């Protein structure tokens, strides 16, 4: 059984992806927890309703469309954090930096609390004063430490390794569920999931790319690197259901492929910087940015190394701006094995040319992984290396910017410059700020790297949600953008665009009380659903405490009013918590066994399975192939410890945050305030640095938050700028709300487009889907028109492919958001038992690790062994009972219930054995690849080479052709003169002999 429900991203203009798969036995799998740039919490209601029934979660890509809501769900949805999550190592690492960047860049990621929720929670006083902007109260966003903790609980997987996952505590048994990750090619660590459950074989492939790129290898459909690429690999072929994205189904690839695409981008960049303009390339912050950064860095290296070249790139500057880009590039340098083979060869070649520098880079990479001193040194340089280094991601020309002040400084420079900035949607991040400052100059250029949904396809009720990227895309299309090689102006007339900016502002007065009451209600709900579990809202409650104390009014009237409201809330909380806390033994009742004084026990009522037997869950120790991970801060000398006001900062990471209602010492509060006032960029694990630039928004705690230090180096004429001290940017901590303001943007720059999305196109979709041969096809992740149109195309392609199979039908589903489809496949399976006498005669043969045997027997219906035993024992008991009551010695007792008959295969009688012996023939088992046959024949002294497509020519006279799976044809000339005829005969039989040696012969009978 397979029921599929898209929760987001089906027949929609939203790029977010969330899918729910329901299998036999109530097993539910959530694939992706994506979000779009609107950060609308209402779009997560469908997911929130399904959380108590989800068994496991799978993540595919480290993009906001696939994991954007993951940290929000972990913090604000009860039970979500208890569900096992599985992803590849790059998705875990890059996803962490992506979400930390998002929450540091825009307040909207914190999400708005609906006014209806505030009204329900605030029953102790009126909310009549909260209207308009006052209703835009934000939830407390996950801190960098909380985001790191969420991703640290994800189980890492490697490609092509089957894994049997663990179910969530509230899930039914998985019954042998197996998941396998394969390379998707779209992003680093991106995944095509193969899910095997009983007779169901499901392939989930959303957002993949078959083309090989500079950094990423192609998808694993045809086997990836080292495979012949003639057909889809066995593991992904003929699934019972294929879930594929229809995005790009109407798009044709650029003629010339990747090389032409790269040349087109560099040509646009050279033309713009030659005029002294600024080029803005919006991109994501953790996935496709690696491809762009690698391409531009190597273009600068090549042009600058050629002394005879007059390239304008020599005098131009190259920047990459993102809040957490230092950590992203640090991870990229440590995950070269997940990239294309060309990247690995480049790294090895650099190590051969410069072994000393290679060893230094390797040492720095190890320090990055351990969080040691080398990580801080490299991050302070913003990812820069020495002038002699030229590894794949050891940047020599690309400068990393992580602060808004640095971005504003470089925008004041004169001369050509290229800025890669997050995000590609232009709704948040530095790309929006850069566009605002360069939009009015006609010599500047913005190069869009992804396609946007046209505003013409939006429904009327979504018209107001049109983003800045959608408007630029429409203008590019309307001014000659049909050709991907065109650079469009804006009709020589500047266009005015009204954009909406969102700023954070602290809560005060009634708003603070409303949020405080809402937080208490949500915490009560989490305590009810997760007993004996620490809630994620405790730290939010502390923030409310601190903010309310710091924002108290100075006047006496306001103080009295504030105290009165606080007393009302305290009384309400005491009343609502009375059932849990209890003020006396009588109130506690039978729960005194759990909540009495000096009683330490676990409430297992209502639990089942493992949680009932073993209620305590020990914290899993982090480790790798070499054992437990080492924390370098535990081995520092006394003089190396981070002392702030006499306090050892190493202990701060392990100290538990004080919760609401817990007493705290004034000394601790003062210490915390002092530490926050001069927070170091690497938190508890770094030494104090003087005269450096520290990043307040990106701390790295001892729990493994992976933030790079602020990059202070920019490519300016004055090198002393790199060491200038920059004050911390003001941040608002604690409860806050969002204030929207409108500004007018005058657009007079040029617009261009180069497709760097790294997604499949129409040609690959139409070529691969018929080769995969799915029994059911489900199309998601596309606009409504292109999804329905591509569904018709797939029906024609699959019908033509299966025309030879009589009566076979392939269903194509196009569900909308929230619509469930039944993609189950009707299978006829019978269970046949083998008799003991037949089992003794079987001779098993080993074929590629599998036991194979041919069975010839006679099928009959016999009672099972258990039924026969129960009948015998029941008759005995009945006889004894009758004998005791009536004093009868023997009395036959017929069975009251007929035995259950089961089909059983038994040995053929001797009279029929002679007739069946002639029917049983030996079987050849296996599938020999032509590439393997070529190696075998070359070892035997024959000359073998490929001629044409799928033809192997041996010694120039014998041809071997593979016509299908398990079908090989051997051809040769019929007549040849003299010695050549004997040579032909010897070669022909030698080839046949080698083919048979590569197959397993299973005897018949």
């Amino acid at each position: 059984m397979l029921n599929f429900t898209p929760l987001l991203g089906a027949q929609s203009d939203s790029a977010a992806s969330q899918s729910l798969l329901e299998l036999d036995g109530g097993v539910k799998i959530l694939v992706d927890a994506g979000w779009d740039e609107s950060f609308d919490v209402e779009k997560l209601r469908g997911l929130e309703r399904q959380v108590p029934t989800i068994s496991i979660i799978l993540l595919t890509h480290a993009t906001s469309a696939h994991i954007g809501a993951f940290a929000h769900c972990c913090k604000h949805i009860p039970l979500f954090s208890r569900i096992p999550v599985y992803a590849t190592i790059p998705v875990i690492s890059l996803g962490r930096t992506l979400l930390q960047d998002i929450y540091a860049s825009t307040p909207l990621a914190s999400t708005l609390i609906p006014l209806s929720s505030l009204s329900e929670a605030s029953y102790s006083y009126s909310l009549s004063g909260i209207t308009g902007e006052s209703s835009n109260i934000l939830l407390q966003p996950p801190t960098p430490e909380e985001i790191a903790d969420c991703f640290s609980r994800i189980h890492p997987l490697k490609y092509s390794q089957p894994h049997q996952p663990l179910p969530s505590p509230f899930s039914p048994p998985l019954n042998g569920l197996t998941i396998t990750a394969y390379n998707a090619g779209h992003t680093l660590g991106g995944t095509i999931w193969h899910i095997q459950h009983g007779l169901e074989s499901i392939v989930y492939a959303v957002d993949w790319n078959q083309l090989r790129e500079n950094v990423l290898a192609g998808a694993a459909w045809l086997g990836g690197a080292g495979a012949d690429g003639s057909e889809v690999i066995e593991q992904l072929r003929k699934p019972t259901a294929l879930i594929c994205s229809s995005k790009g189904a109407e798009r044709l690839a650029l003629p010339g492929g990747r090389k032409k695409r790269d040349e087109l981008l560099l040509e646009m960049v050279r033309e713009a910087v030659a005029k002294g303009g600024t080029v803005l390339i919006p991109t994501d912050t953790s996935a496709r940015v690696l491809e762009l950064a690698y391409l531009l860095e190597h273009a600068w290296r090549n042009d600058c190394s050629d002394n005879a070249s007059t390239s304008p790139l020599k005098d131009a500057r190259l920047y990459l701006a993102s809040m957490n880009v230092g950590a992203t590039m640090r991870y990229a340098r440590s995950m070269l094995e997940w990239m294309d083979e060309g990247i690995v060869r480049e790294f090895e070649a650099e190590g051969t040319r410069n072994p000393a520098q290679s060893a230094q880079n390797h040492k720095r990479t190890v320090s990055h992984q351990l969080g040691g001193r080398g990580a801080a040194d490299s991050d302070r340089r913003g990812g820069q290396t020495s002038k002699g280094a030229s590894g794949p991601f050891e940047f020599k020309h690309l400068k990393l910017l992580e602060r808004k002040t640095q971005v504003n400084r470089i925008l004041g420079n004169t001369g050509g410059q290229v800025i890669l900035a997050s995000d590609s949607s232009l709704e948040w991040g530095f790309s929006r700020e850069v566009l605002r400052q360069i939009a009015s100059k006609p010599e500047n250029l913005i190069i869009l790297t992804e396609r946007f949904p046209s505003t013409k396809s939006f429904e009327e009720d979504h018209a107001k949600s049109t983003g800045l990227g959608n408007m630029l895309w429409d203008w590019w299309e309307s001014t000659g953008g049909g050709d991907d090689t065109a650079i469009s102006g804006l009709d020589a007339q500047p266009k005015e665009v009204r954009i909406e900016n969102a700023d954070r502002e602290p809560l005060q007065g009634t708003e603070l009380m409303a949020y405080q009451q809402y937080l208490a209600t949500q915490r009560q709900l989490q305590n009810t659903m997760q007993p004996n579990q620490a809630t994620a809202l405790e730290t939010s409650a502390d923030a409310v405490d601190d903010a309310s104390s710091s924002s108290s009014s100075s006047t006496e009237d306001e103080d009295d009013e504030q105290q009165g409201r606080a007393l009302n809330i305290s009384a309400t909380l005491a009343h609502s918590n009375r059932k849990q806390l209890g003020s006396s033994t009588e109130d506690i009742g039978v729960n005194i066994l759990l909540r009495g004084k000096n009683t330490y026990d676990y409430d297992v009522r209502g639990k089942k399975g493992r949680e009932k037997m073993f209620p305590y869950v020990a914290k899993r120790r982090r480790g790798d192939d070499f054992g437990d991970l080492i924390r370098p801060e535990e081995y520092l000398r006394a003089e190396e410890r981070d002392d702030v006001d006499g306090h050892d900062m190493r202990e701060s990471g392990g100290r538990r945050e004080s919760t609401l209602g817990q007493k705290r010492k004034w000394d601790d509060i003062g210490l915390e305030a002092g530490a926050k006032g001069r927070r170091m960029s690497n938190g508890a694990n770094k030494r104090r640095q003087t005269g450096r630039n520290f990043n307040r928004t990106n701390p790295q705690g001892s729990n493994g938050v992976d933030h790079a230090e602020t990059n202070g180096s920019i490519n300016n004429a004055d090198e002393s700028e790199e060491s200038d001290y920059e004050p911390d940017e003001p941040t608002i901590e604690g409860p806050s709300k969002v204030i929207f303001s409108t500004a007018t943007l005058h657009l007079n720059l040029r617009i261009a487009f180069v497709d760097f999305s790294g997604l499949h196109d129409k040609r690959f979709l139409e070529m691969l889907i018929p080769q995969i041969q799915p029994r059911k096809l489900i199309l998601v992740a596309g606009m409504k028109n292109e999804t329905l149109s591509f569904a018709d195309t797939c029906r024609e392609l699959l019908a033509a492919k299966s025309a030879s199979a009589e009566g076979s039908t392939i269903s194509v589903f196009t569900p909308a958001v929230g619509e469930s489809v039944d993609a189950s496949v009707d299978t006829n399976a019978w269970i046949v038992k083998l008799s003991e006498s037949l089992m003794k005669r079987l001779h098993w043969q080993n074929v590629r690790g599998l036991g194979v045997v041919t069975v010839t027997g006679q099928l009959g219906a016999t009672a099972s062994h258990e039924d026969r035993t129960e009948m015998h024992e029941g008759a005995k008991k009945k006889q004894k009972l009758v004998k005791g009551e009536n004093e009868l010695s023997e009395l036959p007792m017929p069975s009251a219930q007929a035995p259950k008959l089961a089909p059983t295969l038994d040995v053929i009688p001797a009279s029929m054995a002679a007739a069946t012996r002639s029917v049983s023939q030996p079987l050849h088992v296996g599938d020999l690849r032509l590439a393997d046959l070529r190696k075998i024949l070359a070892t035997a002294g024959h000359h073998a080479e490929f001629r044409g497509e799928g033809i192997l020519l041996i010694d120039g006279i014998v041809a071997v052709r593979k016509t299908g799976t398990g079908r090989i044809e051997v051809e040769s000339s019929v007549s040849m003169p003299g010695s050549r005829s004997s040579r032909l005969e010897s070669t022909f039989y030698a080839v046949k002999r080698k083919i048979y040696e590569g197959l397993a012969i299973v005897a018949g009978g």
Side-chain angles (χ1 to χ4, degrees):
M1 183 193 79
L2 170 61
N3 288 330
F4 177 80
T5 306
L7 302 178
L8 279 181
Q11 298 189 30
S12 170
D13 56 282
S14 174
S17 175
Q18 292 179 13
S19 301
L20 187 69
L21 285 71
E22 184 177 1
L23 307 176
D24 279 329
V27 177
K28 289 188 178 181
I29 302 175
L30 174 67
V31 186
D32 289 334
W35 224 353
D36 54 26
E37 59 273 7
S38 66
F39 302 108
D40 186 2
V41 72
E42 293 298 325
K43 294 183 178 181
L44 303 180
R45 297 303 181 195
L47 171 60
E48 188 174 0
R49 287 192 295 268
Q50 298 290 343
V51 165
T53 61
I54 295 176
S55 302
I56 62 171
I57 299 174
L58 305 178
L59 302 179
T60 57
H61 298 283
T63 61
S64 59
H66 294 272
I67 62 172
F70 181 70
H72 172 88
C73 294
C74 288
K75 183 177 178 67
H76 297 293
I77 297 182
L79 303 178
F80 188 89
S81 59
R82 304 178 66 186
I83 305 174
V85 187
Y86 296 87
T88 59
I89 296 175
V91 171
I92 297 173
S93 300
L94 299 179
R96 179 192 299 116
T97 61
L98 167 68
L99 293 188
Q100 289 171 344
D101 185 14
I102 290 177
Y103 282 100
S105 300
T106 173
L108 293 179
S110 303
T111 69
L112 303 175
I113 303 176
L115 187 59
S116 58
S117 300
L118 289 175
S119 303
E120 293 174 1
S122 305
Y123 51 82
S124 60
Y125 52 88
S126 174
L127 288 177
S128 57
I130 301 182
T131 56
E133 288 186 348
S134 299
S135 63
N136 295 328
I137 300 178
L138 296 172
L139 284 170
Q140 279 296 104
T143 63
E145 290 81 8
E146 290 173 337
I147 295 175
D149 183 62
C150 291
F151 281 89
S152 67
R153 292 195 291 264
I154 300 179
H155 301 271
L157 298 179
K158 295 183 178 180
Y159 285 150
S160 305
Q161 294 186 1
H163 180 79
Q164 290 191 346
L166 298 174
S168 62
F170 36 84
S171 165
L174 299 184
N175 297 327
L177 175 71
T178 304
I179 57 175
T180 310
Y182 293 93
N183 183 21
H186 172 56
T187 61
L188 189 62
T191 307
I192 295 174
W193 289 105
H194 178 257
I195 304 169
Q196 185 73 42
H197 186 258
L199 299 177
E200 296 286 347
S201 175
I202 305 164
V203 175
Y204 186 92
V206 173
D207 292 351
W208 50 272
N209 181 24
Q210 188 61 33
L211 284 176
R212 178 180 173 185
E213 297 188 283
N214 296 310
V215 176
L216 304 173
W221 292 115
L222 304 179
D228 55 4
S230 59
E231 57 185 11
V232 177
I233 61 176
E234 186 69 28
Q235 295 84 348
L236 301 179
R237 195 188 315 156
K238 295 183 178 179
T240 55
L242 170 63
I243 303 167
C244 183
S245 53
S246 60
K247 189 185 305 180
E250 299 178 348
R251 178 175 61 88
L252 297 176
L254 181 69
R258 182 194 70 187
K259 185 177 180 180
K260 178 64 177 178
R261 179 200 67 180
D262 296 349
E263 292 176 354
L264 178 61
L265 177 71
L266 295 177
E267 180 183 348
M268 294 178 178
V269 168
R270 290 189 180 99
E271 179 186 351
V273 298
K275 299 177 181 179
T278 298
V279 180
L280 170 62
I281 305 179
T283 181
D284 58 42
T285 185
S286 63
R288 300 300 302 172
V289 66
L290 301 178
E291 184 76 15
L292 286 164
Y294 178 89
L295 172 63
L296 294 176
E297 169 67 20
H298 282 67
W300 253 258
R301 288 184 190 178
N302 296 334
D303 287 8
C304 293
S305 61
D306 187 2
N307 296 328
S309 173
T310 59
S311 172
L313 299 184
K314 286 186 174 182
D315 300 325
R317 295 176 296 275
L318 180 62
Y319 302 102
L320 174 55
S322 179
M323 281 285 190
N324 206 18
V325 68
T328 299
M329 293 305 165
R330 172 156 48 93
Y331 281 125
R333 289 192 291 270
S334 65
M335 293 185 294
L336 299 182
E337 69 274 12
W338 293 84
M339 301 180 186
D340 185 68
E341 290 182 348
I343 298 292
V344 179
R345 288 195 296 267
E346 180 182 345
F347 180 76
E348 294 174 349
E350 175 60 24
T352 304
R353 288 193 300 267
N354 194 350
Q357 184 63 40
S358 178
Q360 181 181 353
N361 295 341
H362 175 71
K363 181 179 179 181
R364 180 167 54 250
T365 300
V366 174
S367 299
H368 283 322
Q369 295 172 350
L370 297 179
R373 188 173 181 178
D377 295 338
S378 177
D379 291 338
R380 274 193 298 273
R381 291 192 298 268
Q384 313 307 317
T385 61
S386 61
K387 295 183 179 180
S390 57
F393 287 94
E394 302 290 342
F395 297 127
K396 187 177 179 181
H397 301 277
L398 182 67
K399 305 299 185 298
L400 308 185
L401 309 176
E402 293 186 336
R403 300 174 70 91
K404 186 176 180 179
T405 54
Q406 293 175 334
V407 175
N408 293 333
R409 183 189 302 173
I410 65 161
L411 289 174
N413 297 337
T414 57
Q417 54 188 356
V418 179
I419 304 175
L420 290 168
S422 63
D423 178 66
S424 57
S425 65
L426 294 169
E427 294 302 310
W428 58 270
F430 289 138
S431 61
R432 191 179 181 89
E433 177 64 22
V434 173
L435 177 63
R436 188 182 64 82
Q437 298 194 38
I438 70 171
S440 59
K441 296 182 180 179
E443 67 270 15
N444 295 334
L445 172 68
I446 179 173
I447 303 179
L448 303 177
T449 57
E450 295 182 6
R451 299 174 185 268
F452 290 84
S454 175
T455 56
K456 300 176 183 178
S457 63
F458 287 179
E459 299 177 3
E460 293 183 1
D461 55 346
H462 291 90
K464 62 180 180 182
S465 63
T466 302
L468 185 56
N470 299 101
M471 285 188 268
L472 292 176
W473 175 260
D474 285 346
W475 291 335
W476 178 79
E477 282 191 321
S478 62
T479 55
D483 183 8
D484 286 357
T485 62
I487 301 178
S488 302
L490 292 177
D491 303 330
Q493 294 292 332
K495 290 184 178 291
E496 292 188 357
V497 179
R498 298 183 66 83
I499 59 175
E500 196 175 56
N501 299 318
D503 298 308
R504 191 185 297 268
E505 186 176 290
L507 294 181
Q508 295 179 353
T510 305
E511 299 168 341
L512 182 60
M513 291 297 101
Y515 178 78
Q516 203 168 19
Q517 183 64 51
Y518 170 81
L519 195 65
T521 305
Q522 295 299 314
R523 187 168 61 253
Q524 178 71 23
L525 176 63
Q526 287 197 11
N527 287 337
T528 303
M529 299 186 66
Q530 302 186 63
N532 302 325
Q533 295 272 342
T535 64
L537 295 173
E538 290 179 352
T539 54
S540 300
D542 288 341
V544 175
D545 247 359
D546 297 337
S548 61
S549 61
S550 61
S551 62
S552 58
S553 176
S554 58
T555 62
E556 240 180 86
D557 294 339
E558 290 180 351
D559 283 342
D560 294 340
E561 184 181 0
Q562 198 87 343
Q563 291 174 6
R565 288 175 177 171
L567 288 174
N568 290 338
I569 291 178
S570 299
T572 305
L573 285 175
H575 177 73
S576 62
N577 291 332
R578 187 177 300 277
K579 292 179 66 176
Q580 284 198 357
L581 299 178
S583 57
S584 64
T585 304
E586 291 77 9
D587 292 332
I588 295 178
V590 71
N591 289 330
I592 193 173
L593 300 176
L594 294 172
R595 301 186 185 132
K597 189 176 181 181
N598 297 327
T599 301
Y600 305 96
D601 205 343
Y602 296 91
D603 190 357
V604 296
R605 293 173 296 180
K607 303 292 182 63
K608 57 183 178 179
R610 184 176 57 182
E611 275 203 332
K612 186 172 184 178
M613 184 64 67
F614 306 102
Y616 175 73
V617 180
K619 187 175 182 181
R620 186 168 62 91
R621 301 186 67 179
R622 299 282 295 172
D624 54 17
D625 296 339
F626 302 97
D628 294 339
L629 295 182
I630 298 175
R631 299 176 61 185
E633 66 273 10
E634 295 179 353
Y635 299 92
L636 295 178
R637 295 188 299 271
E639 62 272 14
E640 294 177 329
R641 297 176 182 174
D642 296 323
D643 295 332
V644 178
D645 295 340
H647 177 67
D648 189 358
M649 292 298 291
R650 293 186 306 161
E651 301 175 358
S652 63
R655 186 182 57 189
R656 181 180 177 85
E657 293 280 348
S658 55
T659 60
L660 184 63
Q662 179 181 344
K663 293 183 178 179
R664 294 176 293 175
K665 296 182 179 180
W666 284 106
D667 293 341
D668 295 341
I669 296 175
L671 179 62
E672 292 174 5
K676 288 181 180 178
R678 343 169 234 194
R679 181 178 299 168
M680 291 174 291
S681 62
N682 212 16
N685 298 345
K686 297 295 177 186
R687 308 180 188 183
R688 288 187 65 187
Q689 301 288 341
T690 58
R692 295 290 184 183
N693 181 16
F694 300 123
N695 188 353
R696 179 179 179 87
T697 61
N698 293 331
Q700 177 174 352
S702 60
N703 60 352
V705 182
D706 296 300
H707 275 287
E709 288 193 11
T710 303
N711 167 33
S713 59
I714 63 171
N715 186 13
N716 222 349
D718 186 7
E719 294 295 336
S720 63
E721 261 188 329
E722 297 183 5
S723 59
D724 286 347
Y725 173 77
E726 294 182 3
D728 288 340
E729 297 177 4
T731 58
I732 297 176
E733 297 181 357
S736 58
K737 65 179 180 180
V738 62
I739 301 297
F740 294 100
S741 59
T742 304
T744 301
L745 184 62
H746 299 274
L747 291 176
N748 196 24
L749 79 173
R750 297 178 299 159
I751 306 173
F753 168 71
V754 181
D755 191 357
F756 267 84
S757 60
L759 290 173
H760 47 65
D761 55 23
K762 181 178 182 179
R763 180 171 68 93
F764 280 109
L765 286 171
E766 294 181 355
M767 178 188 72
L768 283 174
I769 289 180
Q771 293 188 34
I772 298 171
Q773 303 178 39
R775 301 279 296 276
K776 305 284 185 179
L777 177 61
I778 303 174
L779 297 178
V780 294
M783 299 287 290
K784 182 177 181 179
N785 293 335
E786 68 177 348
T787 300
L788 298 178
S789 174
F790 183 62
D792 296 335
T793 304
C794 289
R795 291 186 182 98
E796 297 176 1
L797 294 173
L798 294 175
K801 183 72 176 179
S802 61
S804 58
E806 186 177 353
S808 63
T809 57
I810 298 176
S811 302
V812 180
F813 300 97
T814 56
V817 174
E819 178 185 351
S820 297
V821 295
D822 185 2
S824 305
V825 176
D826 296 330
T827 55
N828 298 321
W830 295 270
I831 299 177
V832 179
K833 295 185 178 182
L834 303 182
S835 65
E836 296 181 1
S837 57
L838 182 63
M839 286 291 295
K840 294 177 181 179
R841 297 190 178 191
L842 298 181
H843 299 285
W844 294 89
Q845 292 179 261
N846 187 17
V847 180
R848 296 186 179 181
L850 300 176
V852 180
V853 67
T854 57
V855 180
T856 304
Q858 183 179 15
L859 187 63
T862 59
S864 63
H865 177 71
E866 293 79 2
D867 290 336
R868 290 197 300 268
T869 303
E870 290 178 1
M871 289 170 55
H872 184 62
E873 293 179 354
K876 281 185 175 181
K877 292 180 180 178
K878 198 84 172 186
Q879 289 176 4
K880 291 180 180 179
L881 179 61
V882 173
K883 183 179 180 179
E885 292 180 354
N886 302 330
E887 297 182 353
L888 295 178
S889 58
E890 290 184 2
L891 181 63
M893 300 300 298
S895 175
Q897 185 177 3
K900 295 180 180 178
L901 300 180
T904 304
L905 200 62
D906 204 348
V907 178
I908 297 178
S911 59
M912 300 177 59
T916 59
R917 189 174 295 116
S918 60
V919 179
S920 302
Q921 299 293 333
L923 301 176
H924 292 85
V925 180
D927 186 15
L928 186 64
R929 298 172 62 244
L930 293 184
D932 297 337
L933 180 61
R934 179 188 178 188
K935 295 179 182 178
I936 294 172
L937 293 172
T939 306
H942 296 276
H943 178 71
E945 60 180 350
F946 283 103
R947 291 287 182 88
E949 185 175 354
I951 300 177
L952 183 64
L953 186 65
I954 299 95
D955 293 340
I957 53 179
V958 178
V960 180
R961 180 184 293 105
K962 189 173 183 181
T963 58
T965 303
R967 298 185 60 187
I968 296 179
E969 296 180 358
V970 184
E971 299 177 356
S972 63
S973 301
V974 178
S975 60
M976 279 190 152
S979 61
R980 295 201 63 187
S981 177
S982 60
R983 181 188 171 197
L984 168 64
E985 184 177 353
S986 61
T987 303
F988 181 80
Y989 286 109
V991 172
K992 286 189 65 177
R993 190 162 49 250
K994 293 300 180 182
I995 291 176
Y996 284 127
E997 289 176 0
L999 302 175
I1001 301 176
V1002 181

